[in-house]
Amino acid sequence: RKDFYGKTKAEVNKKVKEYASLLNTSTSDNSIQLKSFYGYCHDWLYYQKKDTIAPKTFDSYDMVLNQILKPSEIGNIQIKQINKMSTHEVAGLITILVNKTIKNCCKTYINTLYTILSQVCRYGLRAGDFNKNFMQLVEHPNLTKVKPQKEKAVLNIEQVNKLWNEMLRKNTIKDHVQGKVGEYVYGLPSLLVLFLCYTGMRSGEATALKWQNVNLEERYIEIDEQVVTVKSREENRDNINDKHYI
């Protein structure tokens, strides 16, 4: 059984029709067998998983598919060709992709890729689109071989003081960069940079800050919300703009 969720009855009915349309196109014209492996995974994400996972999880799955699977060799092979290949051949191509990901990506990307491919394989077997369980021969990535992340750079006191002096620099007649004489060279955003530097706040937390959260007398700031960027999922994707929410 597949469940559908929506804010209105019309939204639910629309999702049901889209899903029914997807099912009807598979058996008559053999379109699924002509899809690339990436295309098959893409449709699985948008028509099978989208309504069952959190928006951020959907975004991470979508990003991994587009950045890792889409340009890969296995990602461009048609499903019908995958079904003609041996289990070892398909598993070998996926293993190559996983090992390449280990060398270039973080643990989160690697785990997400393996999770997607495992779920897609199980779904394809249940739906009758795949004739072999190729993921049974693909070992879970050895994360001890993952490329170590670069050490995060932290400013020392001397660097913070230099930043302070630079951010507070104002335009003069002799030293004029941009803006009017007497104004900050970098504008008001320069004060935000200093604010983040001395408080340790995240940019999203500072952006959502209101005066009611600031106590100047007792010199403290209360952080209870932040601004987050959510990928646009509008139907008209010709002009995509990410949306910001508090």
Side-chain angles (χ1 to χ4, degrees), residues 150-200:
K150 294 181 179 180
E151 185 177 350
K152 294 182 179 179
V154 180
L155 298 180
N156 57 38
I157 296 298
E158 181 181 355
Q159 291 171 326
V160 171
N161 290 334
K162 286 183 178 180
L163 180 63
W164 170 274
N165 293 329
E166 181 63 22
M167 290 294 101
L168 294 182
R169 185 158 64 96
K170 294 184 177 182
N171 286 304
T172 64
I173 296 178
K174 293 183 178 180
D175 183 18
H176 183 270
V177 181
Q178 59 182 354
K180 298 180 181 179
V181 173
E183 292 183 343
Y184 292 111
V185 170
Y186 303 101
L188 291 179
S190 63
L191 301 182
L192 178 60
V193 173
L194 296 175
F195 181 70
L196 296 177
C197 186
Y198 279 93
T199 62

